[in-house]
Amino acid sequence: MTTVDPLQPALHDPGDPPLRPLPDQVARLLRDLDAPPRLAAHLRAVHDVAHQLVDWMAREHPSVQLDREAVLFGAATHDIGKTAHPAELSGPGSAHEAAGRELLLAHGIAPELARFAASHATWTRPGIGLEDLLVSVADKIWKGKRVQELEDLFVARLAEASGRTAWEEFLSFDDLLTAIGQDADGRLAFQAAYPVERVR
């Protein structure tokens, strides 16, 4: 007799537009934590958008130092604390942020990767780098939400790193976010198709 994996559809259904799968390590962690399917679907959507952002960085700014894998892991796990605070899947709350970081650390994840669970909603804190800002942007633009303060901060940091003017960087980044935002309805529909409750 085979055991049904309740996360299988959220982790593997292609989506429209198609969404990349989560890293195997993250998928295993979500299963171990008995994550609600909607959380897995959300993490896939944000992770997929983060891929688009880091691919753009590689094309447009190959000389800018960026930890691509950290961004992708951060996007794939940024809300993992909602396994401990499931009410925050469908309502407001920030308890999942610190809880997510602690949860990842408890599962042997390095602090430099666990940090994104706590930093994705606090982009003005000291020590926030380009990687953190990209995870924060992915967590907004996946659903077509534009946050001017966040985007301005990213553009300013990028201009410092690239040596181009902030205006040049803004124009290019704005075009990218507009293009990503065009698929927001499909990603929202993908997430909404999965239950908030854990499926046993």
Side-chain angles (χ1 to χ4, degrees):
M1 180 176 159
T2 57
T3 305
V4 176
D5 176 2
L7 285 182
Q8 181 76 10
L11 290 173
H12 297 286
D13 282 358
D16 181 20
L19 300 175
R20 293 166 180 85
L22 290 171
D24 290 343
Q25 179 186 21
V26 176
R28 283 193 302 272
L29 186 55
L30 290 173
R31 287 186 179 102
D32 290 347
L33 295 170
D34 193 21
R38 183 164 300 177
L39 176 59
H42 171 67
L43 293 175
R44 266 189 75 196
V46 176
H47 173 258
D48 187 79
V49 166
H51 256 284
Q52 295 178 58
L53 294 173
V54 295
D55 288 349
W56 175 81
M57 284 290 295
R59 284 193 313 271
E60 298 293 319
H61 299 288
S63 63
V64 172
Q65 190 170 9
L66 183 78
D67 188 338
R68 174 188 176 93
E69 294 310 312
V71 173
L72 296 176
F73 185 87
T77 59
H78 72 283
D79 273 350
I80 204 158
K82 290 183 180 180
T83 57
H85 297 278
E88 294 183 11
L89 269 170
S90 54
S94 58
H96 71 276
E97 295 162 17
R101 181 180 179 279
E102 294 308 311
L103 189 155
L104 289 171
L105 291 172
H107 280 79
I109 304 301
E112 60 270 19
L113 294 176
R115 76 178 196 262
F116 296 101
S119 70
H120 67 274
T122 53
W123 52 79
T124 57
R125 290 186 332 182
I128 295 293
L130 277 177
E131 291 85 359
D132 303 87
L133 294 173
L134 281 170
V135 171
S136 298
V137 169
D139 190 35
K140 299 299 181 189
I141 199 61
W142 78 274
K143 59 183 175 182
K145 184 174 182 181
R146 303 291 299 263
V147 180
Q148 197 64 52
E149 176 194 29
L150 171 59
E151 292 173 25
D152 288 348
L153 184 55
F154 176 76
V155 163
R157 292 278 179 83
L158 184 56
E160 285 175 22
S162 70
R164 294 170 62 183
T165 67
W167 181 242
E168 287 176 290
E169 296 297 8
F170 168 78
L171 290 175
S172 180
F173 195 54
D174 183 64
D175 286 346
L176 172 69
L177 296 187
T178 299
I180 291 174
Q182 290 174 351
D183 288 328
D185 287 347
R187 289 186 292 266
L188 282 162
F190 178 81
Q191 176 181 287
Y194 298 97
V196 173
E197 299 79 20
R198 290 175 167 94
V199 179
R200 301 198 185 279

